[in-house]
């Protein structure tokens, strides 16, 4: 192949890919594409100096990272205000009408995925940054390059930021979950989580396999002169980005309502999940005039779709026993599709709820699925009963170990500490993400290891041998070794992970971090007074910790010996600054979430409190500050804006 032929081949491949991934209209077969791709690959192997940066081979090539680096957005990424009904739309339109005249509105879908900012300079994709807090995100450039609907080159030379949503199509989402289920891995709750998780993979090879799609919805920093948003977006689509399945201009309330109703009724038919329609002022000049509140543009709004309800039949009620022994009922329903996800189970919360709603097996029920929450049964259609549906009878014995259940009304508990369900779930929890985060030790594998008698408790995990694993069905050398390495990789974990992994009732991730910060590895010798003195830890949590330590001291010491968790780094003395040692209260909305500001102030040595009192040194307020501001004024507390706070720090 000559260099000329190579350049031509790259162009052809990019054209094929554009038709396939962006226009959804393939113009060739996989075979033709693959043959040409391999020719390009072969040429590049011997002509490294001639490799074009927009060659499709350059999409995957990155090496796995240890962690993502933070990156600042050239201009802020905003959020959107939500509205839910026609009255709220009316009000929003009145508000915009007061600010500017003669405007039209650009309506497009609101995609449910993860937002991403792409920075192009001289026509080349330079950097891709996740939204983060809108000011700073994570650099995921390597991963973004694997997304076929993100052009590596565009025919526009000036620096420009293209913003959009990374999504997974509904059918792809189902395929991923089927594969994960077969591999014994945990399932993604919904396409949005799957998209966000795939975008934030340290290994770009994994991202590449997930078939993510980028849907542009806006432009950040730019030097475009085109005065209308819809025309700007058409330019973006013409540079090789995917256009929305539906986009329309509307002049007023009636027209917007019509488009909204249509989009809502068509949503099931779209490839991607939509959670609403976004309405944006189309004149850029007017947008600039209207500006932003601290969080959202005044020129755009998200008109949300209602959660989706479906009627189905309740086939059965099964019981689950959690790691604390709590027995919860789960509804098994006739499988039904809601927004591209097949729903087969729904939450019933507890037995009181079954009584309250008089839910009976065989009933026709309405289930509701909204966003990322587990579907739930909202209502029984009792008119449809045929007489065969009998009231539900509460269980009196554990469905797993058959020991007698303790019925405390809303909470029903198996009290047998050796109940296999409790033990298995405790081990699953021990290995899960917010605990020791042991890769590959998911539900299915723990169940197998337990039922094969290889583990009876978490301590046994560390004694597993390669021979034992190889004897199990489906465990080859590589997989087995990887699992053993992952288990031993948990050694030297952060101290809070160790505490969290113990699964102490009422002590979750946040409390574990506080305990670890306060006592380090000595948390077992802390007395009640010292424990309740920690911000956010109350009496119930302290009692639970003390009781746990009393009963399990030996096991915890043994685990500590094996894991040698890292004690937190000693606090370094913070430099002098106006907030050091001061009590600060935050109120109102700020340019970033208050949580971010709280952490920043705490790092400066301030104590951030939730309520204003005479002891408060500063009240830092943002937009829409309410009663805390009034109270601080009354008490004569120094009140400063977020901006002022930042000025004091430079
Ligand atoms: S516009 C300045 N348009 O929704 C306007 N956002 O709830 C900022 N999103 O962070 C956003 N589809 O990740 C816009 N058509 C669309 C969108 C969209 C999805 C996401 C985006 C944003 C979030 C706000």
């Amino acid at each position: 192949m000559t260099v000329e032929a190579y350049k031509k081949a790259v162009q052809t491949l990019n054209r094929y890919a554009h038709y396939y991934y962006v226009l959804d209209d393939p113009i060739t077969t996989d075979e033709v594409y693959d043959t040409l791709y391999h020719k390009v690959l072969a040429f590049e192997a011997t002509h490294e100096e001639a490799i074009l940066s927009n060659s499709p081979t350059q999409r995957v090539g990155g090496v796995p990272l240890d962690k993502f680096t933070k990156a600042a957005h050239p201009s802020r990424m905003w959020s959107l205000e939500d509205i839910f009904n026609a009255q709220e739309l009316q009000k929003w339109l009145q508000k915009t009408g007061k600010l500017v005249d003669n405007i039209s509105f650009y309506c497009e879908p609101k995609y449910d995925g993860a937002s991403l900012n792409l920075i192009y300079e001289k026509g080349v994709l330079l950097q891709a940054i996740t939204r983060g807090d809108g000011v700073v995100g994570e650099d995921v450039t390597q991963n973004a390059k694997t997304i076929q609907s993100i052009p590596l080159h565009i025919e526009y030379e000036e620096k420009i930021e293209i913003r959009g949503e990374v999504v997974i199509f509904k059918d792809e989402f189902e395929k991923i979950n089927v594969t994960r289920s077969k591999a014994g891995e945990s399932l993604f709750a919904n396409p949005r989580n799957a998209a966000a998780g795939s975008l934030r993979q340290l290994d770009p090879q994994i991202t590449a396999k997930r078939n993510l799609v980028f849907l542009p919805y806006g432009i950040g920093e730019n030097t475009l002169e085109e005065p209308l948003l819809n025309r700007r977006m058409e330019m973006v689509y013409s540079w090789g980005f995917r256009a929305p399945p539906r986009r329309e201009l509307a002049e007023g309330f009636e027209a917007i309502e019509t488009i909204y109703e249509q989009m809502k009724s068509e949503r099931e038919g779209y490839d991607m999940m939509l959670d609403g329609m976004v309405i944006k002022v189309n004149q850029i000049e007017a947008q600039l005039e209207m500006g932003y509140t601290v969080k959202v543009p005044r020129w755009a709004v998200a008109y949300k779709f209602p959660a989706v309800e479906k009627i189905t039949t309740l086939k059965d009620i099964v019981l689950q026993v959690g790691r604390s022994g709590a027995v919860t009922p789960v509804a098994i329903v006739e499988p039904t599709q809601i927004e591209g996800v097949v729903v087969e189970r729904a939450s019933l919360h507890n037995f009181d709820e079954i009584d309250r709603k008089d839910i009976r097996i065989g009933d026709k029920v309405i289930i509701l699925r909204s966003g990322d929450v587990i579907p739930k049964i909202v209502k029984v259609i009792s008119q449809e009963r045929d007489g065969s549906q009998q009231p539900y009878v509460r269980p009196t014995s554990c469905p797993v170990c058959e020991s007698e259940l303790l019925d405390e009304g809303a909470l029903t508990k198996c009290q047998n500490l050796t109940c296999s369900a409790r033990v298995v779930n405790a081990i699953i929890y021990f290995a899960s993400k917010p605990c020791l985060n042991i890769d590959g030790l998911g539900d299915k594998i723990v169940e197998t290891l337990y039922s094969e008698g290889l583990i009876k408790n978490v301590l046994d995990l560390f004694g597993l041998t390669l021979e034992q694993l190889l004897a199990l069905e489906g465990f080859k050398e590589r997989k087995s070794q990887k699992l053993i390495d992952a288990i031993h990789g948990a050694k030297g974990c952060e101290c809070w992970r160790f505490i969290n992994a113990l699964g102490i009732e009422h002590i979750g991730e946040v409390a574990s971090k506080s305990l670890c910060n306060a006592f380090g590895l000595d948390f077992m010798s802390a007395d009640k007074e010292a424990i309740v003195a920690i911000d956010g830890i109350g009496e119930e949590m302290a009692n639970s910790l003390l009781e746990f330590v009393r009963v399990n001291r030996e096991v915890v010491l043994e685990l500590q010996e094996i894991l040698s968790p890292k004690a937190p780094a000693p606090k370094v003395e913070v430099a002098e600054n106006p907030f050091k040692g001061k009590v600060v209260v935050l109120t109102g909305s700020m340019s970033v979430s208050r949580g971010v500001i709280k952490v920043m102030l705490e790092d400066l040595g301030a104590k951030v409190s939730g309520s204003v009192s005479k002891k408060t040194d500063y009240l830092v307020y943002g937009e829409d500050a309410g009663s805390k501001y009034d109270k601080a004024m009354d008490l004569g507390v120094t009140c400063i804006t977020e901006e002022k706070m930042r000025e004091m720090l430079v």
Side-chain angles (χ1 to χ4, degrees):
M1 197 187 252
T2 61
V3 175
E4 272 318 301
Y6 163 71
K7 284 187 184 160
K8 189 100 188 289
V10 166
Q11 225 177 43
T12 310
L13 285 173
N14 284 339
R15 193 157 56 88
Y16 288 160
H18 180 70
Y19 272 88
Y20 188 92
Y21 292 107
V22 176
L23 303 178
D24 251 343
D25 180 20
I27 52 168
T28 189
T29 62
D30 288 0
E31 200 190 337
V32 170
Y33 182 92
D34 289 343
T35 313
L36 191 56
Y37 185 93
H38 281 98
K39 281 187 187 159
V40 160
L41 210 54
F43 175 88
E44 290 177 346
T46 53
H47 298 78
E48 218 172 283
E49 71 299 336
I51 298 179
L52 292 170
S53 59
N54 65 336
S55 161
T57 62
Q58 301 306 296
R59 288 193 177 273
V60 227
V63 287
L65 303 173
D66 287 334
K67 64 178 184 23
F68 291 113
T69 44
K70 298 253 182 268
H73 295 289
S75 68
R76 164 119 188 237
M77 283 186 87
W78 298 90
S79 191
L80 285 171
E81 178 191 338
D82 289 333
I83 55 171
F84 296 92
N85 53 47
Q87 285 85 16
E88 289 179 343
L89 172 64
Q90 207 46 297
K91 256 180 47 198
W92 185 77
L93 289 172
Q94 273 162 11
K95 239 182 356 193
T96 50
K98 278 197 198 125
L99 295 167
V100 282
D101 303 323
N102 289 329
I103 40 174
S104 51
F105 299 91
Y106 185 60
C107 303
E108 65 179 351
K110 181 165 193 303
Y111 311 111
D112 204 3
S115 43
L116 185 66
N117 190 19
L118 304 175
I119 303 162
Y120 288 86
E121 239 177 285
K122 301 207 168 55
V124 179
L125 173 65
L126 273 194
Q127 206 179 22
I129 313 174
T130 60
R131 183 177 186 284
D133 65 4
V135 179
V136 173
E138 284 173 325
D139 185 322
V140 290
T141 313
Q142 289 205 78
N143 293 350
K145 283 187 175 168
T146 70
I147 302 175
Q148 298 279 358
S149 43
I150 294 183
L152 300 177
H153 282 192
I154 58 174
E155 50 175 78
Y156 179 75
E157 290 289 310
E158 310 272 305
K159 178 173 180 185
I160 190 162
E161 290 179 275
I162 309 284
R163 272 90 191 260
E165 200 84 347
V166 171
V167 303
I168 286 189
F169 284 171
K170 297 176 212 167
D171 55 352
E172 186 63 30
F173 167 74
E174 263 173 66
K175 278 191 223 150
I176 294 178
N177 264 354
V178 169
T179 316
R180 289 178 74 86
S181 153
K182 280 189 189 144
E185 293 164 338
S186 60
L187 302 189
F188 286 119
N190 53 51
R192 182 196 4 182
N193 287 7
S198 305
L199 186 61
R200 291 191 69 263
Q201 282 292 329
L202 290 168
D203 182 356
Q205 308 275 353
I206 301 181
T207 312
K209 291 200 190 103
R210 298 276 168 82
N211 289 333
L212 297 170
V213 177
F214 179 80
L215 300 157
Y217 61 65
I219 302 170
E221 191 179 305
N222 72 85
T223 49
L224 297 174
E225 282 171 9
E226 168 54 55
L228 294 176
L229 173 66
N230 69 322
R231 296 222 199 110
R232 286 187 172 194
M233 292 313 292
E234 291 307 321
M235 282 164 76
V236 170
Y237 311 141
S238 77
W239 295 334
F241 289 94
R242 250 186 114 107
R246 178 168 193 152
R247 52 196 191 275
E248 245 169 285
L249 279 182
E251 297 267 315
F253 176 78
E254 299 289 331
I256 296 175
E257 269 296 311
T258 311
I259 304 170
Y260 172 80
E261 286 303 327
Q262 283 167 354
M263 211 182 271
K264 191 170 82 183
S265 64
E266 288 161 7
R267 69 194 279 210
E268 288 244 19
Y270 289 131
D271 291 327
M272 68 292 279
M273 292 257 285
L274 306 191
D275 61 349
M277 178 173 96
V278 183
I279 307 163
K280 296 172 181 165
V281 168
N282 198 40
Q283 287 76 6
I284 306 291
E285 187 68 39
Q287 289 184 359
L288 293 174
E289 218 170 293
M290 298 171 77
Y292 300 80
T293 71
V294 274
K295 271 203 227 121
V296 298
R298 292 200 184 85
W299 48 266
V301 76
Y303 193 173
K304 298 293 281 270
F305 292 148
V308 186
E309 288 186 346
K310 270 279 172 81
I311 295 180
T312 183
T313 308
L314 176 65
K315 291 200 306 191
D316 200 1
I317 292 176
V318 296
L319 305 173
Q320 269 179 353
V321 186
R323 65 188 161 85
S324 64
V327 179
T328 41
V330 176
I332 304 295
V333 299
E334 193 62 49
T336 178
Q337 282 249 358
I338 308 187
E339 264 287 272
V341 178
V342 180
V343 175
E344 293 177 89
R345 298 161 81 83
S347 159
L348 285 168
H349 302 297
N350 56 46
F351 297 105
D352 280 358
E353 165 120 340
I354 298 182
D355 288 350
R356 199 165 347 118
K357 293 186 177 154
D358 187 20
I359 297 171
R360 306 179 182 190
I361 295 170
D363 269 341
K364 284 255 180 284
V365 292
I366 297 178
I367 55 175
L368 176 127
R369 184 173 171 273
S370 61
D372 49 0
V373 299
I374 303 164
K376 59 179 185 193
I377 294 191
V378 281
K379 198 173 154 29
V380 168
I381 311 177
S382 46
Q383 294 82 346
E384 299 242 356
R385 283 187 179 148
D386 61 10
S388 67
Q389 294 84 359
Q390 294 305 311
Y392 182 73
V393 184
R394 289 181 186 227
T396 51
S397 60
C398 172
V400 178
C401 70
E402 292 179 359
S403 57
E404 196 183 326
L405 293 179
L406 171 75
D407 191 343
E408 293 181 327
L411 189 71
T412 307
K413 246 179 132 170
C414 167
Q415 291 175 286
N416 172 9
L417 278 175
T418 60
C419 169
S420 65
R422 290 188 66 163
V423 176
V424 167
N425 284 321
I427 304 175
I428 294 172
Y429 179 74
F430 182 79
S432 68
K433 268 222 171 72
C435 298
L436 292 185
N437 194 13
I438 302 177
D439 213 24
L441 195 58
D443 311 8
K444 295 253 159 59
I445 293 186
V446 172
E447 273 160 27
T448 310
L449 295 174
Y450 183 87
S451 63
E452 294 293 326
L454 297 183
I455 52 173
K456 292 185 303 303
N457 52 43
V458 291
L459 284 169
D460 292 343
L461 287 172
F462 300 94
L464 283 172
T465 64
L466 194 61
E467 291 68 39
Q468 286 177 321
L469 294 184
L470 287 172
L472 300 175
E473 209 186 303
F475 277 76
K476 299 253 165 54
E477 180 93 22
R478 220 173 83 89
K479 177 171 169 183
S480 310
Q481 191 58 52
K482 251 179 97 171
L483 181 58
I484 290 193
D485 291 347
I487 293 172
H488 292 278
K491 292 178 182 171
C493 62
E494 294 139 300
C495 154
W496 68 265
R497 288 189 177 275
F498 175 69
I499 302 178
N500 200 26
L502 298 173
I504 307 167
E505 205 165 359
H506 306 303
I507 306 280
E509 189 174 327
V510 177
S512 299
K513 285 182 180 162
S514 310
L515 284 168
C516 172
N517 283 335
F519 309 119
L521 291 168
D522 294 332
F523 69 96
M524 285 211 289
S525 7
D527 62 13
K528 187 160 171 184
E529 201 184 350
I531 302 171
V532 290
I534 301 176
D535 214 14
I537 297 201
E539 177 104 9
E540 195 182 25
M541 290 161 109
N543 286 339
S544 168
L545 172 65
L546 290 167
E547 176 62 10
F548 185 90
V549 168
R550 190 181 69 76
V551 180
N552 299 292
R553 180 177 293 274
E554 292 310 310
V555 183
V556 179
L557 286 174
E558 211 172 320
L559 265 179
Q560 197 163 330
E561 177 81 25
I562 298 175
L563 283 166
S564 5
K566 275 199 300 268
K571 282 235 175 347
V572 271
E573 185 61 19
V574 285
E576 282 312 315
N577 70 69
F579 297 100
K580 186 173 171 182
K582 301 284 190 239
V583 180
V584 184
V585 175
L586 305 174
T587 186
S589 25
M590 315 223 162
S591 66
V592 290
S593 79
R594 281 197 300 273
V596 171
I597 296 185
K598 177 169 187 274
V599 172
M600 183 183 106
L601 287 169
E602 284 170 350
D603 286 348
L604 289 167
K607 181 175 184 316
V608 179
S609 160
S611 54
V612 176
S613 72
K614 274 189 280 189
K615 288 197 198 128
T616 311
D617 293 299
Y618 291 107
L619 176 95
V620 181
Y621 63 94
E623 193 143 303
D624 300 326
S627 58
K628 285 187 195 169
Y629 179 84
D630 299 339
K631 182 161 179 203
M633 281 307 223
D634 284 349
L635 292 173
V637 170
T638 314
C639 295
I640 55 173
T641 60
E642 180 195 348
E643 215 179 340
K644 173 79 187 157
M645 172 195 80
R646 292 187 188 274
E647 275 169 29
M648 287 164 67
L649 288 170
V650 286

